[in-house]
Amino acid sequence: MRLQRHGKKGRPFYHIVIADGRAPRDGRFIEKIGTYNPVAKPAEIDLNFEKAYDWFVKGADPTPTVKAILSEKGVLLYNHLMKGVAKGAFTKEVAEVRFNEWKESKENKTSSAVKAIELSEKEAAKKRLEAEAKVNEARAEAIAKKRMQEAQAAAGETEEAAAEAAEEAAEEAAEEPAAEAAEETAAE
């Protein structure tokens, strides 16, 4: 029992297969019993429970990672319970009840973990949006301030230009009577 790697570089995806120990990692296999996607959060494991248990009982030796996957899905616990039934420690019905209780508790833990991950992702997204909104507000205030300064500067320039024009007009008005007086004195 081992993993057969598929997928792209940096995004692995594995098939859980039964293969001869002498076969290459991604080479020939006897039977495919499931898939494993470690990239997903939480990791996605699709395992044919009956086939996995059957091969485990027949003596297939799992690699450490596959053993962890089998433990996660309950194959090892089920095997342990069935050994207890074979020894006569308890009946098969009791073993089934214990296994189903374990399975329900495991599913509850998994679903609560998934909900916690989703909740933390939503909170992180909300915090990012709030931070982005603050940055956008600061930028908008800076732009508004800059535009106001530019408008004041433009208004100041027009006031200065108007003041200069008024001064020039006043100078011209003052020069015209002096020029007229000079012309009158010259004419006399």
Side-chain angles (χ1 to χ4, degrees):
M1 297 177 123
R2 64 172 144 188
L3 298 177
Q4 194 176 59
R5 192 179 199 281
H6 293 277
K8 299 196 302 189
K9 179 180 177 182
R11 298 198 40 91
F13 182 83
Y14 298 96
H15 290 195
I16 303 169
V17 297
I18 307 301
D20 187 354
R22 297 168 290 190
R25 179 193 73 181
D26 298 336
R28 248 176 93 152
F29 61 90
I30 299 169
E31 185 175 11
K32 178 182 166 188
I33 60 172
T35 59
Y36 170 57
N37 183 3
V39 177
K41 300 250 185 216
E44 295 174 359
I45 301 170
D46 180 31
L47 183 69
N48 186 330
F49 188 86
E50 292 80 25
K51 286 184 180 180
Y53 175 70
D54 185 44
W55 279 103
F56 190 76
V57 170
K58 287 180 184 176
D61 187 27
T63 62
T65 306
V66 174
K67 191 171 186 177
I69 290 170
L70 295 177
S71 177
E72 175 77 21
K73 288 298 182 177
V75 174
L76 300 181
L77 176 66
Y78 190 76
N79 183 49
H80 176 73
L81 292 172
M82 290 301 115
K83 284 181 181 177
V85 169
K87 290 180 181 178
F90 43 82
T91 64
K92 188 169 182 170
E93 291 78 24
V94 172
E96 292 290 335
V97 169
R98 287 183 184 177
F99 181 72
N100 289 333
E101 288 174 357
W102 174 85
K103 196 173 184 180
E104 287 176 14
S105 68
K106 185 76 170 174
E107 288 174 2
N108 290 338
K109 286 180 185 178
T110 304
S111 64
S112 65
V114 168
K115 288 179 183 177
I117 290 171
E118 289 175 357
L119 182 63
S120 66
E121 287 176 354
K122 285 181 182 179
E123 288 177 3
K126 187 176 180 180
K127 287 180 182 178
R128 277 196 314 269
L129 287 174
E130 289 174 358
E132 189 175 325
K134 288 179 183 178
V135 169
N136 287 343
E137 288 176 9
R139 284 183 184 164
E141 288 176 14
I143 290 171
K145 195 175 192 181
K146 185 176 178 182
R147 286 184 180 165
M148 186 176 288
Q149 289 174 351
E150 290 175 356
Q152 288 175 352
E157 289 176 7
T158 56
E159 288 176 8
E160 290 176 9
E164 289 177 9
E167 287 178 14
E168 290 177 8
E171 288 176 9
E172 289 178 8
E175 290 177 3
E176 285 180 14
E180 289 177 11
E183 286 178 13
E184 288 179 12
T185 53
E188 290 179 10

